[in-house]
Amino acid sequence: VDRRQRQMCIRDRLDMHEAVKSERPMLTFDTNGKIPLHKAQFPVEQNKLRYYSDAPYEFLEYVEPMKKGATATYSDRSFKQFYDDVGFDLKPIFMPHGGPNKVKKGKLLKDRKYPISFVGYIKNPEPRGPFENLIWGSDERLVSIVRRASEMNLHEGIEAYVAFRTCALEAGFDPLGIMPLDQLGELLNKMGHWAEEQRRLELLRAFKSHSLHIFGPVMEDVKGVTDQPHHFYGATKGTEVLEVLKESRLLLNTVTKFPDGSHERIWFALAHGCMIYTDASRFVMESFKDDKNILFIDYDNLELDVQRIQSYVVDADTLQPILEQALPIYQQKHTWLQRIESTFRQMPEVSPFMP
């Protein structure tokens, strides 16, 4: 961030604090706990809504201090189990990722520069040992719990905490009594990243004979990816990613941490007229059907599935109708405006004022 941007951020934050001070709002709303309203030199209303973009155990330092009765969102339905078990005196509401309120369809798919794009970093998965080490030296049954849970997370599409909880209960352990909560959060976070990186490389390696356009840092050489004839563009800023989406026919998206939610890349791709090839989460499947208005990854038959995708990309006229079917669904159900309206309607402090 350059000096001018820093000054703007400081000015905007001061303006925000002054607005909260003068308006005395019925509700304060922040994201991921990163706006320190609790440090303001004036009282802030207790009715608080905090949006969390990822699992609650990734934000424990912000979730735990929340005021009694405050509303914390969760971006995947599976995350509700963690809130229920931990017993924080909060009001959790499901609020998955959304996308821009307006669709900017742009060029036809056949006129776009990049046939298949991927946005994200490239690295080898961290060996499972490092996160097993968080409980190393404990009962061997605990190590087995972590091993089994990580496999369930990767291969069965079960969210990290739910998988850990299931294995712990089967072994006769209280899942929240095995280790301190912050240590458990670190363990689950590492498990989730391990599974996601495994899936990411599995998908990219399946495109070994095809030329991908990869936007993101290559953190190390990865066999089957960095030695293939792909185009690597390095680290890409957020605004640049939007330009990539405008010039892409299809975006690869694999995010295993949302088995019953959605990742914003799905919605930002569609909002910029780019078809999406993504994990089949239960939440997304409620609105979309494979091959009709979306393309879901079939990990069980990945080699054949890549051939299907390649045929669509080569003949973009066959891909365009799928995109056209997807856009009205996105606009009707998955923008950020719909997300916030749905959340407000579930909050007693706000719902009476909703139209």
Side-chain angles (χ1 to χ4, degrees):
V1 180
D2 62 27
R3 181 178 178 182
R4 179 173 173 274
Q5 288 174 310
R6 285 199 299 271
Q7 290 173 336
M8 289 175 63
C9 289
I10 293 170
R11 184 195 66 201
D12 291 345
R13 178 163 290 187
L14 290 173
D15 289 345
M16 176 194 67
H17 280 279
E18 287 303 314
V20 172
K21 182 178 181 180
S22 61
E23 296 288 339
R24 295 184 59 79
M26 73 169 77
L27 175 76
T28 56
F29 177 24
D30 68 358
T31 58
N32 292 336
K34 301 299 178 66
I35 300 175
L37 288 175
H38 63 285
K39 296 182 180 179
Q41 299 301 311
F42 49 85
V44 176
E45 287 288 337
Q46 297 302 307
N47 296 331
K48 188 177 185 67
L49 168 65
R50 179 168 287 166
Y51 168 77
Y52 289 105
S53 60
D54 292 290
Y57 46 76
E58 296 185 40
F59 297 99
L60 281 175
E61 62 180 305
Y62 302 111
V63 176
E64 286 190 277
M66 289 183 70
K67 299 289 185 180
K68 178 180 178 180
T71 299
T73 73
Y74 52 98
S75 53
D76 187 280
R77 288 179 182 138
S78 305
F79 298 158
K80 179 67 160 48
Q81 186 68 63
F82 182 82
Y83 278 117
D84 290 345
D85 289 0
V86 171
F88 295 142
D89 197 355
L90 301 172
K91 295 182 290 186
I93 291 178
F94 176 51
M95 185 177 172
H97 290 197
N101 296 326
K102 293 183 179 181
V103 170
K104 299 178 180 179
K105 194 161 64 170
K107 299 178 183 178
L108 293 174
L109 296 179
K110 65 180 181 181
D111 298 327
R112 298 191 171 205
K113 185 190 307 184
Y114 310 121
I116 305 177
S117 296
F118 171 80
V119 176
Y121 64 83
I122 304 295
K123 69 182 290 289
N124 287 298
E126 185 178 85
R128 187 163 50 183
F131 60 82
E132 289 179 351
N133 286 343
L134 290 168
I135 56 170
W136 214 256
S138 304
D139 190 316
E140 178 59 30
R141 289 176 297 171
L142 300 185
V143 179
S144 297
I145 287 171
V146 173
R147 288 175 179 163
R148 171 64 181 135
S150 62
E151 292 296 326
M152 290 172 66
N153 183 215
L154 173 60
H155 296 295
E156 300 176 36
I158 299 176
E159 191 273 328
Y161 174 70
V162 176
F164 178 83
R165 179 183 190 272
T166 300
C167 295
L169 291 174
E170 288 177 352
F173 287 91
D174 172 5
L176 295 178
I178 293 177
M179 65 190 77
L181 194 58
D182 59 343
Q183 187 178 351
L184 176 61
E186 182 183 357
L187 170 67
L188 296 172
N189 196 18
K190 286 181 177 292
M191 282 175 55
H193 281 293
W194 176 81
E196 185 167 301
E197 289 163 1
Q198 295 276 5
R199 278 298 196 210
R200 174 174 297 185
L201 296 188
E202 182 181 358
L203 179 62
L204 293 177
R205 283 169 175 154
F207 283 87
K208 57 183 178 297
S209 60
H210 307 282
S211 181
L212 302 179
H213 295 264
I214 297 177
F215 299 85
V218 176
M219 303 172 74
E220 57 188 327
D221 290 336
V222 177
K223 186 176 181 180
V225 179
T226 55
D227 55 359
Q228 297 301 306
H230 302 315
H231 303 275
F232 297 93
Y233 298 85
T236 309
K237 297 178 181 178
T239 53
E240 295 171 339
V241 169
L242 298 183
E243 296 303 314
V244 170
L245 296 178
K246 293 176 185 178
E247 287 290 349
S248 298
R249 293 181 188 176
L250 181 137
L251 181 72
L252 305 183
N253 180 64
T254 175
V255 183
T256 57
K257 67 169 64 177
F258 299 121
D260 203 357
S262 63
H263 191 273
E264 63 183 1
R265 275 195 294 268
I266 299 173
W267 314 127
F268 274 80
L270 292 178
H272 289 85
C274 171
M275 195 59 225
I276 188 76
Y277 179 50
T278 188
D279 302 271
S281 88
R282 292 181 289 276
F283 171 70
V284 177
M285 290 173 68
E286 292 172 6
S287 303
F288 295 89
K289 185 175 181 180
D290 188 36
D291 255 345
K292 181 178 180 182
N293 42 42
I294 201 168
L295 297 173
F296 286 131
I297 303 168
D298 182 358
Y299 288 104
D300 293 331
N301 301 284
L302 202 47
E303 186 174 338
L304 286 175
D305 210 37
V306 167
Q307 294 177 22
R308 172 180 71 123
I309 297 305
Q310 188 64 21
S311 67
Y312 275 131
V313 172
V314 170
D315 184 2
D317 287 337
T318 63
L319 189 59
Q320 191 74 42
I322 299 177
L323 175 66
E324 300 296 340
Q325 291 280 332
L327 294 183
I329 301 171
Y330 163 69
Q331 287 183 294
Q332 293 165 15
K333 297 184 177 182
H334 297 289
T335 68
W336 276 121
L337 181 60
Q338 277 126 18
R339 297 289 191 256
I340 197 67
E341 286 181 346
S342 174
T343 300
F344 282 174
R345 292 185 191 283
Q346 298 175 68
M347 298 181 66
E349 305 94 334
V350 185
S351 58
F353 302 95
M354 296 296 292

